[in-house]
Amino acid sequence: MKADSTPCAFPASKRESGDERRIAVASAARQIIVEKGLEGLRTRDIAARVGINIATLHYHVPTKEALVALVAESIRHDFRTQAMRHPRVGKTGLEQLHMEFDDFRETTREMPELIIILTELVERARRDATVAEIVLPMHRFWRGQFVDIFRLGVADGSFRPDLDPEAGAMIATGALSDCWRRPDTSPSMIEQALAELERAFIRKS
Amino acid sequence: MKADSTPCAFPASKRESGDERRIAVASAARQIIVEKGLEGLRTRDIAARVGINIATLHYHVPTKEALVALVAESIRHDFRTQAMRHPRVGKTGLEQLHMEFDDFRETTREMPELIIILTELVERARRDATVAEIVLPMHRFWRGQFVDIFRLGVADGSFRPDLDPEAGAMIATGALSDCWRRPDTSPSMIEQALAELERAFIRKS
DNA sequence: ACCTCAATCAATCAAATGATTGAGTAGACA
DNA sequence: TGTCTACTCAATCATTTGATTGATTGAGGT
């Protein structure tokens, strides 16, 4: 790493450091993907939005493939940050499920574009091994969180004894990502779905 | 101007009739979408696969936008055919759910490409109103099937009395389409998910 | 002052790509 | 036979688009 004293934003001189540029490029690319899809992502548009020349863009991110990988990394970073915010130790399965649901609500509210881009990347992962290597582990991690929660909750009596943690996690992540993805899902429908998911897995007294 | 007496099928001469060409074009386009995604769909590739000139392709399908719409229509046709196969009258909610699951298994087995293309189209529907008008109703129909089943099943005692049919349908369609979409879902995992979905909604004795 | 090098840009290339043009070809029908 | 219509193709256009080249700039180090 560079011996940079302050990594933070200097009142920009004409030039920016490479890392900052790459971050700016990733951010611009993400905006464009939200607007026009991965399909509509053009290097020129990114350069224009960042305010640099196409050649400069290629200087920092050599190829378009690398650019898509950069976006994938960027999404992974946000995803990690989001996932690690709330420690879950010492809670019951049901409490942890509620926390997971809260995280979900928070993400839909504060970073709705995250899942849009993620969906596009998952789609591409079917054909692009580089993207697949970055994106698929993210989904596995998310699902794994649910597996752990369900396993714990079955043990502590929060959930049905016959709940299959793996299958439950598939259903939960599948249902959530699907409602998240669709543009025609209202917030109240998300609440309905979350409530129903809870009833689906909880142990009836 | 056309003097249309019978718009319908003449016996095919040496040349293919317009309708047959359009069907062939749609079929070729679907293959290419499966292989390379909507993003990788090129008019030239379609023409080559059908065995016609690019200009001929444009004669039958004037623009690429119309081509995508054609594919969407084609998918809708297959989807309808698939959905209407098995009449469900006079069955209990649980029986109908099982039939819906069987349909799902059958479709994953016999037309795995259907959901791949559908996913691509849903993705594009976010930006393309023409595609949205064709594709979104399909999903609403599918979800509606589940709503009906759950409503019936709650009434006839198959399912939990506190099951919210709308929310249950969201969860079911979301979970199914998500497992279907992911390439890393094995058949046995699908069976696990289906079994868990049943336990999630069924009334415990 | 001088050197070095990361960062930047204007200009341009080569390929891809959606679309068009204009010239046909064959079957139907008068 | 001649004409009309549906259909087909080779050739080409006009853009778009990812990438490259070669020159320039300026901050940091000596």
Side-chain angles (χ1 to χ4, degrees):
Chain A
M1 260 292 174
K2 291 275 184 66
D4 52 342
S5 44
T6 42
C8 240
F10 260 19
S13 45
K14 205 147 115 195
R15 303 184 169 195
E16 284 195 46
S17 92
D19 274 350
E20 287 174 17
R21 271 283 186 259
R22 284 174 63 87
I23 290 172
V25 166
S27 168
R30 287 171 55 155
Q31 288 176 28
I32 294 174
I33 291 174
V34 169
E35 291 166 21
K36 309 188 192 173
L38 249 177
E39 180 184 357
L41 185 66
R42 299 285 172 260
T43 52
R44 279 171 172 74
D45 296 345
I46 298 170
R49 192 159 309 202
V50 176
I52 58 175
N53 188 280
I54 319 161
T56 308
L57 177 65
H58 273 90
Y59 174 80
H60 292 287
V61 186
T63 72
K64 197 182 181 184
E65 194 188 340
L67 191 117
V68 173
L70 175 68
V71 170
E73 292 278 7
S74 155
I75 291 291
R76 169 161 69 183
H77 175 267
D78 287 3
F79 192 80
R80 278 231 176 97
T81 308
Q82 194 274 354
M84 297 304 179
R85 255 173 329 188
H86 304 122
R88 306 216 195 292
V89 283
K91 302 278 203 304
T92 70
L94 183 58
E95 285 167 343
Q96 290 197 26
L97 186 69
H98 285 156
M99 295 180 69
E100 195 68 36
F101 284 174
D102 283 340
D103 280 0
F104 180 75
R105 289 188 188 96
E106 190 177 324
T107 309
T108 50
R109 200 176 345 107
E110 289 173 18
M111 314 182 60
E113 78 284 1
L114 197 109
I115 195 69
I116 292 178
I117 301 169
L118 187 55
T119 303
E120 301 261 1
L121 290 174
V122 167
E123 186 57 54
R124 168 167 291 212
R126 198 160 48 84
R127 280 164 263 126
D128 185 332
T130 311
V131 173
E133 259 174 44
I134 300 173
V135 164
L136 295 186
M138 290 173 50
H139 188 267
R140 277 189 227 113
F141 173 81
W142 190 31
R143 187 186 290 183
Q145 298 270 90
F146 275 99
V147 172
D148 293 344
I149 289 173
F150 288 143
R151 201 166 277 152
L152 172 66
V154 169
D156 71 19
S158 303
F159 301 132
R160 284 189 277 111
D162 61 352
L163 168 60
D164 173 353
E166 308 277 347
M170 278 185 64
I171 291 169
T173 55
L176 291 188
S177 70
D178 195 65
C179 1
W180 200 351
R181 176 164 33 235
R182 307 206 164 264
D184 55 350
T185 330
S186 66
S188 74
M189 286 175 72
I190 291 183
E191 289 306 319
Q192 270 185 274
L194 290 177
E196 186 60 45
L197 271 177
E198 180 170 335
R199 286 194 293 273
F201 299 131
I202 210 169
R203 184 166 83 169
K204 294 303 162 60
S205 54
Chain B
M1 196 172 297
K2 286 198 185 158
D4 54 332
S5 43
T6 43
C8 230
F10 263 22
S13 38
K14 194 151 114 197
R15 298 187 175 183
E16 291 204 39
S17 90
D19 275 348
E20 286 174 20
R21 270 281 189 264
R22 284 173 63 87
I23 290 172
V25 166
S27 168
R30 287 172 54 157
Q31 287 176 30
I32 293 173
I33 290 174
V34 169
E35 290 166 22
K36 309 187 192 174
L38 247 179
E39 182 183 356
L41 185 65
R42 299 285 171 261
T43 52
R44 278 171 172 75
D45 295 345
I46 299 169
R49 193 159 307 204
V50 176
I52 58 175
N53 188 278
I54 319 160
T56 308
L57 177 65
H58 273 89
Y59 174 81
H60 291 288
V61 186
T63 72
K64 197 183 181 185
E65 194 188 339
L67 191 118
V68 174
L70 176 69
V71 170
E73 293 277 6
S74 155
I75 291 292
R76 171 161 66 183
H77 175 266
D78 287 3
F79 192 82
R80 279 233 174 95
T81 307
Q82 195 273 358
M84 298 303 180
R85 256 174 330 188
H86 304 121
R88 306 214 194 294
V89 283
K91 302 277 203 302
T92 71
L94 183 59
E95 285 167 341
Q96 291 197 24
L97 185 69
H98 285 156
M99 294 180 69
E100 195 67 35
F101 284 174
D102 283 339
D103 279 1
F104 180 76
R105 289 189 187 93
E106 190 176 323
T107 309
T108 51
R109 199 176 344 106
E110 290 173 18
M111 313 183 62
E113 78 284 359
L114 198 111
I115 195 71
I116 293 178
I117 300 169
L118 187 55
T119 302
E120 301 262 0
L121 289 175
V122 168
E123 188 54 57
R124 169 166 290 213
R126 196 161 50 84
R127 279 164 264 124
D128 185 333
T130 311
V131 173
E133 258 173 44
I134 299 173
V135 165
L136 295 187
M138 290 173 53
H139 189 266
R140 276 189 227 114
F141 174 81
W142 191 30
R143 185 184 290 182
Q145 299 269 89
F146 276 99
V147 172
D148 292 344
I149 289 173
F150 288 143
R151 201 165 276 154
L152 172 67
V154 169
D156 71 19
S158 302
F159 301 133
R160 283 189 277 111
D162 62 352
L163 168 60
D164 173 353
E166 308 277 348
M170 277 186 64
I171 292 170
T173 55
L176 291 189
S177 70
D178 195 65
C179 345
W180 200 353
R181 175 166 31 233
R182 305 203 166 267
D184 56 349
T185 328
S186 66
S188 74
M189 286 175 72
I190 290 184
E191 289 306 318
Q192 272 184 273
L194 290 177
E196 187 59 47
L197 271 177
E198 180 170 335
R199 288 194 292 274
F201 298 133
I202 210 169
R203 183 165 85 172
K204 294 302 161 58
S205 53

